[in-house]
Amino acid sequence: MAKSFDQLDTRAALAEVARQFYQRGWMPGTAGNLSARADDNTRPGFWITASGMPKGQLEDNDFLLVGVRDDSVIERLRAAHKPSAETSIHRAIYRVFPHARACLHVHSVDACIAVSRVAATLTTLRLPPLEVLKGFDLWEENPQIDLPVFPNWLDVPRIAHEIEQRFSVTPPRISALVVRDHGITVWGESLQQAFNRVEVVEFIMSYMARAGSGV
Ligand SMILES: [Zn+2]
């Protein structure tokens, strides 16, 4: 088998994940953003995709190292690069879930359709009890799992704030969320685990989009 993403250099692995997601139609144009923790001894930080880069053509230098505790840029590999406009959402995830080592956010048609079937007043999307949920280490008959749903505010830090507030009090049973009319965010204890779980959530979103009336 080819190397796991966790065996590759972090930035090379993130660029490869972006290429694969782009080919699947989940990162069209410059959409979506990917990150992975890269702590040194003194400053907790994570590498994140630079803003506005086409996700099918990322190079190892198209990432910035940014802080977890604040919005500092620790390392910039190209002078013109700015961190992804949605960096605050990644930071919120890493702050609430100390074991998260990677956070992946993609825009897919199916996720937008699936969540559009949920009333605007609801904050969760009940998932069908599909076999693939075992990818989230959910080993139970007929699992009743709710995917957290957040409104898509133009002000991204507001989305991040709502995620941090809500998950600090009520962590979800799966390491994933969906922003309405926007896309999914999935995190994992390794980049490979987060990658696998994006595929699981997208499988479920695709199922729900095709199922039509929801479940
Ligand atoms: Zn987005």
Side-chain angles (χ1 to χ4, degrees), residues 31-33 86 105-107 182-183:
N33 28 81
E86 295 173 335
H105 167 65
V106 298
H107 296 183
H182 186 157

Side-chain angles (χ1 to χ4, degrees), residues 144-205:
Q144 305 288 300
I145 303 298
D146 292 326
L147 182 66
V149 177
F150 290 87
N152 188 33
W153 304 116
L154 181 62
D155 177 22
V156 177
R158 182 175 175 187
I159 305 174
H161 180 72
E162 291 185 357
I163 290 169
E164 191 164 349
Q165 293 280 307
R166 177 170 164 186
F167 287 172
S168 298
V169 177
T170 316
R173 289 194 63 203
I174 63 171
S175 58
L177 64 88
V178 61
V179 177
R180 190 182 289 277
D181 300 328
H182 186 157
I184 63 165
T185 295
V186 178
W187 55 100
E189 294 182 9
S190 69
L191 179 56
Q192 186 69 53
Q193 186 187 67
F195 175 91
N196 295 345
R197 289 179 171 183
V198 168
E199 290 194 305
V200 168
V201 176
E202 282 300 335
F203 179 99
I204 297 169
M205 295 296 99

Side-chain angles (χ1 to χ4, degrees), residues 1 3 22 55 59-60 70 72 76 100 125 129 134 139 150 152 157-158 170 178-179 183 199 204 214:
M1 152 183 172
K3 283 185 177 174
Y22 175 81
K55 296 305 184 303
E59 296 180 345
D60 294 6
D70 55 47
S72 60
R76 187 189 308 267
L125 174 62
K134 288 178 182 166
W139 302 91
F150 290 87
N152 188 33
R158 182 175 175 187
T170 316
V178 61
V179 177
E199 290 194 305
I204 297 169

